[in-house]
């Protein structure tokens, strides 16, 4: 019976390996799927900000309009990179983790088969033992039972060997997948963050270069121009505008070079805010 | 009446300046508040992943355990930087936009006051006109009405001047705030992304350095060790383990050096997933 016990321990290790993998890979999968969805929602929110920035830019004087539009374009670029991040996380992290379920099922089936075969061996051994005690003289029956027990034992051996191979392959695949999936996760995140740094550096320059004084002069000229020789006093510090006001009516409506398709953002992330979030928004994020 | 008309145009520009600011700053505020909350939720999700990675690490062999724990620590570090991002966005972007409402109220009040004063002037002028038509000979009444109209006109002039100053200050402040708030936004984002690149580079090295072969040898030794001289065949390619198995039972429970306080993550973002999200999760993110 020592052999059976040692086999049992081995099967327990195999079972716990598979159970652990099932538990943690399942959790990694749902957490990373949720992480990906939340990233997509952050992208949607920033996209809305881009739209508002462009609308706002179109109501402003040329200097601010140009600065806001450039800034909005940079912000849109970051969202394009975030979209690429979302797609790559889906393809290289979440999908492989989903597919992992099939391998776990195979290992589970092999363990189940082994247990069936092993139970049969135990049954045959018990039958043989009973026969030996009850009818120790019935050689024919005992020989038959011995043959059955031997056959069952060979079956168990073969299945154990097959199971050991399966679990070995499973473990190797698991370790390789784990390293690959998390390396891919890190690479995808790293590429996104690096691109974001690059684009935000340019956005920072845009805002630094924005000529606020010139914009203010435009505004004062507009106010002054309307008053003409009216009663309102010209405001102090109003030099003549160097940019003709007519410029401000140029259409600035050309859409951003955002090539992202509508559907790509759809995957449930562009759904309206949940009522719960609206409520939280009212509690913390009130903007009045 | 030409003066009144020109003043009207001026007031219309002022009104549209204030109305525009109210509309867009309000939208920037709520969008950026929502962006900040969504960032906090991304942090929460990644924190959950960190916890699972550590739990998982503790069930694995020494090599993988060390690699997973280092990786989890790096992932936790990124979340600490994300937390700093959230706090700084709250303090330097969302809060100033919220406070902006007070300035808009002041400008609105000034415009309202101007309109009241201007209406009074128009009333006085109409009264004077009527008197001149009805009783052109009543010099006393006409003189009195002329004085009232003149006083009202002086009032309007003064108020117009004050209003022009208010709107000039408002516009200047608006442009400065806009540049500062968005520059702060870009800086905060840039710092976060740069830190993330740094930490993920280290995480990538951790995963690259993970010795998968050694880990697999540990696993095989464990299986083999349990079987002992039992019937299961030793698996091919099983060299003797270079790390004693006992090592694997070392406690790896020491918490991460994550100094973030619980409350900091509270602001409604650590709230359970909304039912809507769960539903979406079932549709797209199924991990079975």
């Amino acid at each position: 019976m020592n052999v059976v016990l040692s086999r049992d321990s081995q099967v327990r290790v195999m079972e716990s390996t598979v159970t652990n993998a099932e538990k943690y890979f399942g959790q990694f999968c749902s957490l990373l799927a949720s992480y990906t969805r939340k990233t997509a929602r952050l992208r949607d929110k920033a996209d809305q900000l881009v739209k508002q920035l462009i609308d706002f830019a179109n109501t402003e004087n040329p200097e601010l309009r140009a600065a806001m539009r450039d800034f909005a374009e940079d912000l849109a670029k970051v969202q394009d990179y975030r979209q690429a991040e979302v797609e790559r996380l889906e393809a290289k992290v979440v999908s492989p983790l989903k597919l992992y379920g099939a391998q776990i099922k195979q290992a589970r089936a092999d363990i189940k088969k082994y247990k069936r075969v092993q139970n049969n061996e135990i049954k045959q051994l018990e039958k043989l033992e009973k026969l030996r005690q009850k009818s120790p003289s019935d050689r024919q029956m005992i020989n038959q039972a011995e043959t059955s027990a031997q056959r069952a034992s060979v079956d168990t051996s073969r299945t154990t060997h097959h199971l050991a191979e399966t679990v070995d392959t499973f473990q190797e695949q698991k370790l390789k997948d784990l390293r690959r999936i998390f390396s891919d996760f890190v690479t995808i995140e790293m590429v996104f963050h690096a691109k974001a740094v690059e684009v935000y550096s340019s956005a920072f320059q845009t805002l630094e270069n924005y000529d606020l004084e010139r914009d203010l002069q435009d505004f004062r000229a507009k106010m002054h121009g309307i008053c003409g020789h009216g009663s309102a006093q010209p405001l102090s510090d109003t030099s003549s505008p160097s940019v003709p006001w007519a410029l401000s009516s140029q259409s600035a409506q050309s859409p951003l070079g955002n090539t992202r398709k509508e559907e790509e953002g759809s995957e449930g992330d562009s759904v309206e805010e949940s009522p719960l979030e609206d409520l939280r928004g009212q509690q913390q994020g009130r903007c009045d």
Side-chain angles (χ1 to χ4, degrees), chain A:
Chain A
M1 276 317 231
N2 204 22
V3 168
V4 172
L5 271 180
S6 127
R7 274 183 204 154
D8 275 353
S9 310
Q10 195 185 11
V11 167
R12 268 199 296 275
V13 173
M14 289 172 183
E15 273 192 310
S16 84
T17 298
V18 174
T19 303
N20 249 349
E22 190 170 30
K23 177 184 168 190
Y24 288 108
F25 276 64
Q27 279 169 343
F28 295 156
C29 181
S30 69
L31 285 172
L32 283 161
S34 178
Y35 179 90
T36 305
R37 285 196 302 276
K38 284 182 194 309
T39 302
R41 263 171 236 153
L42 197 58
R43 171 209 61 200
D44 291 341
K45 204 41 78 177
D47 275 346
Q48 288 177 28
L49 182 59
V50 167
K51 268 188 203 152
Q52 288 303 321
L53 282 168
I54 294 170
D55 280 359
F56 172 69
N58 290 335
T59 68
E60 286 292 327
N61 291 354
E63 280 293 321
L64 184 60
R65 186 192 317 153
M68 284 292 111
R69 291 192 67 216
D70 286 352
F71 171 57
E73 269 183 58
D74 281 336
L75 200 57
K77 246 186 239 167
V78 173
Q79 306 328 306
D80 287 343
Y81 286 122
R82 219 189 289 268
Q83 172 63 13
E85 178 200 4
V86 165
E87 284 169 17
R88 297 174 74 204
L89 285 175
E90 274 288 343
K92 300 192 109 190
V93 176
V94 179
S95 290
L97 281 168
K98 277 184 200 169
L99 291 174
Y100 209 77
Q103 287 171 53
I104 287 167
K105 264 180 205 152
Q106 184 52 50
R108 278 230 174 286
D110 282 347
I111 291 175
K112 214 169 168 183
K113 190 185 169 192
Y114 165 77
K115 282 186 169 172
R116 211 168 44 235
V117 171
Q118 193 197 31
N119 281 341
N120 184 46
E121 185 192 6
I122 292 168
K123 230 181 269 169
Q124 299 300 333
L125 285 172
E126 282 170 354
K127 202 173 155 189
L128 175 63
E129 201 58 30
K130 256 188 214 162
L131 266 176
R132 277 183 179 147
Q133 284 177 359
K134 276 192 177 173
S135 357
S137 54
D138 190 347
R139 284 311 307 164
Q140 202 193 350
M141 279 292 273
I142 287 175
N143 278 345
Q144 218 169 28
E146 273 176 353
T147 309
S148 289
Q150 211 167 8
R151 208 179 291 136
S153 176
V154 168
D155 264 8
T156 307
S157 266
R158 201 178 48 226
T159 316
T160 309
H161 184 58
H162 174 67
L163 179 63
E165 268 179 350
T166 301
V167 174
D168 189 76
T169 309
F170 177 82
Q171 178 74 356
E172 185 170 2
Q173 197 58 46
K174 184 188 92 176
L175 297 180
K176 280 183 180 164
D177 285 350
L178 206 65
R179 182 171 61 181
R180 192 176 45 76
I181 289 170
F182 283 119
S183 288
D184 281 346
F185 172 80
V186 169
T187 307
I188 292 166
E189 292 292 285
M190 206 158 47
V191 167
F192 166 66
H193 289 300
K195 288 290 180 188
V197 170
E198 197 183 302
V199 178
Y200 278 129
S201 302
S202 139
F204 189 79
Q205 269 315 309
T206 295
L207 293 172
E208 280 291 293
N209 294 340
Y210 161 57
D211 190 345
L212 191 145
E213 273 312 313
R214 191 160 163 183
D215 213 330
L216 214 48
Q217 281 168 22
D218 275 358
F219 179 76
R220 282 164 186 160
K222 195 177 178 181
M223 296 296 290
H224 194 189
I226 284 167
C227 305
H229 31 267
S231 67
Q233 319 276 325
L235 295 167
S236 58
D237 186 22
T238 315
S239 49
S240 69
S242 46
V243 175
W245 186 245
L247 266 178
S248 74
S249 60
Q250 281 179 352
S251 167
Q253 287 282 10
S254 73
L256 282 184
N258 189 327
T259 55
R260 220 152 67 222
K261 283 174 245 113
E262 281 294 308
E263 315 92 77
E264 286 176 349
S266 63
E267 46 150 53
D269 300 300
S270 52
V271 171
E272 293 296 309
E273 307 257 286
S274 70
L276 189 61
E277 171 161 317
D278 285 346
L279 201 67
R280 281 202 296 270
Q282 280 167 24
Q283 285 161 346
Q284 323 149 13
R286 292 196 63 165
C287 299
D288 43 36

